[in-house]
Amino acid sequence: MITKAKIRNGWVLFKQAVVGNSDIDYTQGSIGRVTVLLAIPMILEMAMESVFAIVDIFFVSGLGTEAVAVVGLTEAVITLLYAIAMGLSMGATAMVARRIGEKNPQAAAVAAGQVMWIGLIVSVVIGLIGIFFAEEILLLMGAEQSVVNIGRNYTRLMFGGCFNIVFLFLINAVFRGVGDATIAMRALWLANGINIILDPCLIYGVGPFPELGVTGAGLATNIGRSIGVLYGLYFLLGTHGRIQLHANEMGIRLKVALSLLRISLGGIAQFLVATASWVFLMQIVSSFGSQAVAGYTIAVRIIMFSVLPAWGLSNAAATLMGQNLGAGLIERAEKTTWKIAQYNTAYMAVAAVLILLFTRPLSGLFSDDQEVIGYALDCLRIFALGYVGWGFGMAVIQAFNGAGDTLTPTYINILCFWLVQVPLAYILALSLGLGPSGVFWAEFCAEILSCVTGVLVFRRGTWKTLTM
């Protein structure tokens, strides 16, 4: 029974999670309580990351189907950058969390310093490729020439500003590993607030702003993310919180950097395998026209937004796994993972019902083209059927990553996304003539298989003996 006292206690816990408290020891006390304290700011952080794409799609949709296709195709390729950034951030969170669990904040700061150097190198290389080959990237993705004509500058901007994406991921990963998830949350809230204000101004030329069309969306996103990065650096380089990154920690430490790269390369491979398969799926969908791409893009945005609480909980599982292992609390680490997986299952069941009930109104927010909406409806309904399994598996996979075992999820992704999903999508969509629906069903099957495989491997317990 829910009493006034429980409601009051819950509200106090929520406020504490949002405000933040650097004195909390996440390896002690109630598992449910520390999970909530970490998960709430992580959920809100993930919500803001997803809002970037949803806001851009919402405002760009007024320019027509081709503009939506530009955002969708560019996003499909730039997810490869997300894969690299997320892989690096995975290594950063795991190593920083382990050092914090060992009560060694200076070593955590040294690890953070190595992350910054690696992120800088990655940003320069990928940024230059995107700037000089924007048109070729869109054409490679199967874009029609009209889409390339209006979208080349948007694509160039998004790749040219990739350092914002990389550093926002990495700085926030450091704060998540430390347990200062509220700082990561605020950075993305600030970045998104600026993006929401600038998007309509720069896309449609509101007031004194120039009318830049879809290019304005890219400019607004980059400005917002840049300010978010500066906000994160202010705290990382300051004197507050559990970790302070100064000149001493910024020097290159080859041994630490190599260890971080070893963990991160597994994470990068893990996400590259998944996102590269998604690029292949987007190519299959694009063969059915811009309406199919636009519908798929809209559906994916809605799906990613709806699963944000599950992603936040899963990120909490990674942090708690790392800190508990660092403190030598292996049994608590395992118990925490199963508990969070159960929380995820409950949430995803509710989310699936809501998606199935409100599929059409949600899709209609982004387009009035009935063909586009039809593709979005089909995708959303099929994905919703796999939400429960997806949520449970998500938490278990992130627990592997928090332990520093990034290779096991990579092998799982190779099995599920390349040996199963890609061939199945090709067969269903093209050979059997199911069209884009075949792609959606292939993705559904891959996510369910990923859940089952992840749980079976986690039960073996090989992650318990890993060191870093």
Side-chain angles (χ1 to χ4, degrees), residues 222-234:
N222 274 295
I223 292 173
R225 279 191 169 125
S226 295
I227 293 174
V229 168
L230 292 174
Y231 179 85
L233 285 174
Y234 171 79

Side-chain angles (χ1 to χ4, degrees), residues 392-417:
F392 196 96
M394 195 187 299
V396 174
I397 293 296
Q398 280 298 86
F400 278 118
N401 292 326
D405 181 7
T406 54
L407 285 178
T408 293
T410 301
Y411 298 143
I412 292 174
N413 283 355
I414 291 173
L415 167 66
C416 298
F417 298 129

Side-chain angles (χ1 to χ4, degrees), residues 101-406:
E102 294 169 351
K103 306 297 187 289
N104 191 348
Q106 185 176 8
V110 169
Q114 310 315 298
V115 169
M116 298 300 109
W117 283 112
I118 295 170
L120 179 63
I121 295 170
V122 168
S123 300
V124 170
V125 173
I126 294 180
L128 290 175
I129 292 173
I131 289 172
F132 288 108
F133 299 101
E135 290 189 31
E136 289 80 1
I137 288 171
L138 288 172
L139 289 171
L140 182 66
M141 289 300 297
E144 299 165 2
Q145 190 58 49
S146 58
V147 173
V148 175
N149 292 339
I150 68 169
R152 61 169 67 93
N153 288 333
Y154 173 84
T155 303
R156 194 169 285 126
L157 264 173
M158 292 304 293
F159 274 93
C162 72
F163 71 92
N164 295 318
I165 297 172
V166 172
F167 277 93
L168 203 53
F169 267 106
L170 296 184
I171 292 170
N172 286 354
V174 170
F175 286 124
R176 283 196 299 272
V178 168
D180 284 338
T182 52
I183 296 176
M185 174 195 72
R186 291 173 196 155
L188 278 169
W189 275 82
L190 177 63
N192 268 282
I194 293 168
N195 183 48
I196 290 169
I197 293 170
L198 290 181
D199 245 346
C201 296
L202 292 173
I203 293 172
Y204 299 105
V206 177
F209 293 92
E211 183 178 349
L212 300 176
V214 69
T215 303
L219 184 58
T221 298
N222 274 295
I223 292 173
R225 279 191 169 125
S226 295
I227 293 174
V229 168
L230 292 174
Y231 179 85
L233 285 174
Y234 171 79
F235 284 94
L236 188 60
L237 301 176
T239 58
H240 303 289
R242 303 184 186 199
I243 185 171
Q244 294 95 40
L245 183 56
H246 303 307
N248 289 339
E249 288 82 31
M250 282 298 295
I252 296 176
R253 309 288 206 281
L254 191 58
K255 183 177 179 180
V256 177
L258 290 175
S259 180
L260 182 63
L261 277 174
R262 177 182 58 79
I263 300 169
S264 296
L265 286 175
I268 292 170
Q270 180 183 146
F271 282 101
L272 278 177
V273 166
T275 54
S277 69
W278 187 59
V279 170
F280 185 90
L281 298 182
M282 181 62 88
Q283 285 183 309
I284 295 178
V285 172
S286 70
S287 68
F288 295 95
S290 294
Q291 281 79 12
V293 172
Y296 185 40
T297 300
I298 289 169
V300 168
R301 296 299 177 276
I302 294 171
I303 289 165
M304 297 314 295
F305 190 80
S306 72
V307 302
L308 290 174
W311 273 114
L313 281 164
S314 299
N315 283 337
T319 297
L320 292 172
M321 171 65 80
Q323 290 199 9
N324 281 312
L325 288 181
L329 303 173
I330 296 175
E331 185 178 345
R332 180 182 172 90
E334 184 171 13
K335 184 177 179 180
T336 300
T337 299
W338 294 126
K339 178 95 52 187
I340 292 176
Q342 291 168 13
Y343 295 157
N344 258 8
T345 300
Y347 166 75
M348 290 292 273
V350 174
V353 171
L354 293 176
I355 287 287
L356 291 172
L357 287 176
F358 300 104
T359 304
R360 185 170 290 277
L362 287 171
S363 302
L365 290 173
F366 301 94
S367 178
D368 55 5
D369 185 317
Q370 291 306 306
E371 187 175 357
V372 171
I373 291 176
Y375 286 120
L377 294 178
D378 196 22
C379 182
L380 286 169
R381 287 166 179 163
I382 292 171
F383 266 73
L385 297 177
Y387 263 32
V388 170
W390 187 13
F392 196 96
M394 195 187 299
V396 174
I397 293 296
Q398 280 298 86
F400 278 118
N401 292 326
D405 181 7
T406 54

